[in-house]
Amino acid sequence: MIIKDKMKLQEKCSPVSIKEGEEIGVRLLHELREAKNGIGLAANQIGINKRVCVINVKEPLVLINPKIVEKSKEQFVFAEGCLSFPDSKIKTTRHQDIVVEADNHEGKLSFSANSKNIDDAFECVCVQHEIDHLDGITMFDREFKREPIVKGVNAPKKIGRNEKVTITKGTESKVLKYKKAQPMLEDGWTLSIS
Ligand SMILES: [Zn+2]
């Protein structure tokens, strides 16, 4: 049975011994195979709040007490699904490269979406998705945020680079040239056209 209750999936999982983790890993791989259309599963998705997850993109991979120890600044947008939310598919932002440590793997595991093989991207996203589950984070928390919505009567309209615009963030507001405002829009500022 795969848990579909978002509240339950927001709880953090606790560390586990390698022995118990391996047993949970076997159950997870079994559940994942039963689910047919999934590529990864975390223990809390089957009601076990322990830090174990499995990924099955290129080959079955069990991660016990996994930790992301390095992540690239470069991110990319990916369309994700989740066995707990079978009717949802959302665009998320994920790190392009990550390095993971897990108690059942010696050394470090590297995953990179910067590859000609699309399976590498799937695997890289899946590892981040499953480790998130163990921290009570779902894909909805990683949703890709579009450009801020342009407010105004006749929005959207074409704005010239040198045109003065008003941008706001919380209670602050500034008037400046659009070309200077543009980079700030990625930093939480919202454009308002009067
Ligand atoms: Zn999921």
Side-chain angles (χ1 to χ4, degrees), residues 107-146:
K108 295 176 179 185
L109 303 165
S110 296
F111 301 93
S112 176
N114 187 16
S115 155
K116 287 203 174 88
N117 184 354
I118 186 71
D119 281 351
D120 289 326
F122 271 107
E123 195 172 52
C124 184
V125 168
C126 192
V127 171
Q128 293 177 67
H129 179 118
E130 302 314 329
I131 294 178
D132 268 352
H133 269 307
L134 304 179
D135 290 319
I137 296 167
T138 66
M139 62 179 185
F140 303 105
D141 301 312
R142 301 288 187 198
E143 191 165 5
F144 167 64
K145 299 278 190 291
R146 274 153 224 289

Side-chain angles (χ1 to χ4, degrees), residues 45 81-84 129-130 133:
Q45 287 182 280
C82 179
L83 286 172
S84 290
H129 179 118
E130 302 314 329
H133 269 307

